[in-house]
Amino acid sequence: MRDDDEPRTYSIWLFLGGFVLLGAVGLAALLTLGGPGTPTVQLPTRQTTTSSTVPPPTVPGGGPAPTVPGGGPAPEGVRVVTVDGNAVAYGFTVPEELDRVAVRAVVAPADVTPTADGGSLAVTVRCGAGAGEALAQLTVTEGDATVEVLPVVLVPVGAPPCAAEAAPRTVVVPLGEPLRTRAVVVAPAGPEVPIPATR
């Protein structure tokens, strides 16, 4: 049984917790409601307008940039894309100096490597007909069993042989369907062909 003459003791932590709670409530009320006589000021903001319309890319000369079948962007340097049945021809921009001299069109030596997903071909065209030649057209014809690749270059008539240090050019072109088990057939290099109509 408790003796009424014993003094009661209270923990200081109870009072400290109460003061902290009251202080937090007061601070929240002050920040939310503001104090008396606190003026409200509206700051001027700079208004900007943005357009959600992005102009389509263009090619030199001001025309719209060509696209591949399916709507994707054409490879860099492609000036025009022509579709004829299951054949897609990529016409490239050639140096202006080739417009001022006599040229001939020749099938160029090339190596073709499918991309990892089989959805595109990386075509590496090497110099083969003469110095100063330029890739003019790359035609990819898809069949059920094969995919045929025909790289055509323009070379100045009477040009000296290709320089040993001539850098090859690699172009990645999409396929209409993944390659899967179809064989890639590259046209033999060397024969002269008609100058591409896409020039």
Side-chain angles (χ1 to χ4, degrees):
M1 187 170 184
R2 202 177 102 124
D3 186 355
D4 289 338
D5 292 336
E6 286 184 24
R8 293 187 178 191
T9 59
Y10 298 95
S11 172
I12 191 170
W13 295 110
L14 181 63
F15 291 108
L16 187 60
F19 283 121
V20 170
L21 180 62
L22 284 174
V25 171
L27 180 62
L30 183 62
L31 292 175
T32 305
L33 304 173
T38 304
T40 302
V41 178
Q42 184 172 358
L43 298 174
T45 57
R46 202 169 167 189
Q47 299 296 320
T48 59
T49 57
T50 57
S51 172
S52 60
T53 306
V54 177
T58 60
V59 293
T67 58
V68 299
E76 184 178 353
V78 171
R79 185 179 54 80
V80 63
V81 177
T82 306
V83 179
D84 183 11
N86 58 351
V88 180
Y90 300 90
F92 290 83
T93 302
V94 297
E96 290 182 8
E97 53 265 24
L98 291 180
D99 289 332
R100 297 191 292 267
V101 298
V103 294
R104 58 193 182 98
V106 178
V107 178
D111 299 311
V112 179
T113 305
T115 55
D117 62 359
S120 302
L121 297 178
V123 183
T124 301
V125 181
R126 301 184 313 275
C127 184
E133 71 180 42
L135 179 61
Q137 187 178 63
L138 181 62
T139 304
V140 178
T141 305
E142 295 191 51
D144 294 334
T146 61
V147 176
E148 298 175 8
V149 178
L150 174 64
V152 175
V153 294
L154 294 181
V155 58
V157 173
C162 294
E165 66 275 6
R169 178 172 182 175
T170 300
V171 180
V172 178
V173 292
L175 293 172
E177 296 180 8
L179 184 62
R180 295 192 181 95
T181 58
R182 293 183 293 174
V184 176
V185 178
V186 183
E192 194 164 327
V193 295
I195 292 178
T198 57
R199 182 182 177 191

